[in-house]
Amino acid sequence: MARTIIGVMGRGEGASEEETRAAFELGALIAREGWALLTGGRSAGVMDAAARGAKSEGGLTLGVLPGETAAGASDALDIAILTGLGQARNNVNVLTSRVVFSCGVGAGTASEIALALKAKRSVILLCASVEARAFFQSLDADRVFVAETPREAVEIARRLLRD
């Protein structure tokens, strides 16, 4: 049986301490569920923190990188996927993920959330501002969920994957 791949998206540079702390915990919880973790793969911010969290629990980590080399990749990745697609890799990130988590919202993350919604993927927002929550829920109230903690986020994902 194929492993369930769960995406964790968020800022690289510029990620807040709250976002990286939540991403680390989220990565660990994803690994405990037996799900594979997918991120943007870089050694910065939410991407690196989520991968490190998953590795701390023995989880499988995949990184979808923007370039043609693994330069700048997190050393917590098991599998680095080189795309040469730049920011267009965001579509690969969301299409490969059964559920997409967002830890905070920057410009790149906003594009991933929008692409996920267009692809009919559920999105769970964590560490998102009130304005971001309202905006994304206005786009698709049936697919955008808000969690206050990483544990609550994983509970929502569990329910979505069962349904």
Side-chain angles (χ1 to χ4, degrees):
M1 181 158 128
R3 280 181 98 166
T4 298
I5 299 173
I6 302 293
V8 175
M9 310 303 153
R11 289 181 249 238
E13 293 77 18
S16 72
E17 187 176 320
E18 175 191 16
E19 292 165 353
T20 56
R21 191 173 38 249
F24 183 92
E25 184 178 347
L26 191 55
L29 292 168
I30 287 168
R32 285 186 210 146
E33 290 294 322
W35 301 331
L37 173 87
L38 179 142
T39 71
R42 295 188 9 241
S43 63
V46 167
M47 295 172 272
D48 189 53
R52 290 187 185 287
K55 288 313 297 174
S56 76
E57 294 293 326
L60 176 65
T61 59
L62 299 92
V64 180
L65 294 157
E68 296 179 7
T69 71
S74 171
D75 60 8
L77 295 180
D78 291 308
I79 301 168
I81 301 166
L82 310 178
T83 66
L85 294 172
Q87 294 306 309
R89 86 182 195 290
N90 292 355
N91 206 36
V92 175
N93 289 346
V94 301
L95 290 175
T96 305
S97 302
R98 292 269 312 276
V99 174
V100 174
F101 290 96
S102 166
C103 285
V105 179
T109 311
S111 74
E112 287 165 319
I113 295 168
L115 288 166
L117 296 176
K118 285 186 67 81
K120 307 290 188 220
R121 299 292 192 275
S122 293
V123 176
I124 302 168
L125 303 176
L126 189 61
C127 305
S129 69
V130 172
E131 296 82 7
R133 292 173 181 195
F135 174 72
F136 289 113
Q137 286 182 318
S138 76
L139 296 179
D140 191 338
D142 294 332
R143 285 200 172 76
V144 176
F145 302 86
V146 175
E148 297 301 324
T149 67
R151 288 190 186 283
E152 181 185 358
V154 168
E155 285 296 323
I156 294 168
R158 245 192 245 128
R159 188 178 72 244
L160 291 169
L161 291 167
R162 271 195 311 265
D163 293 346

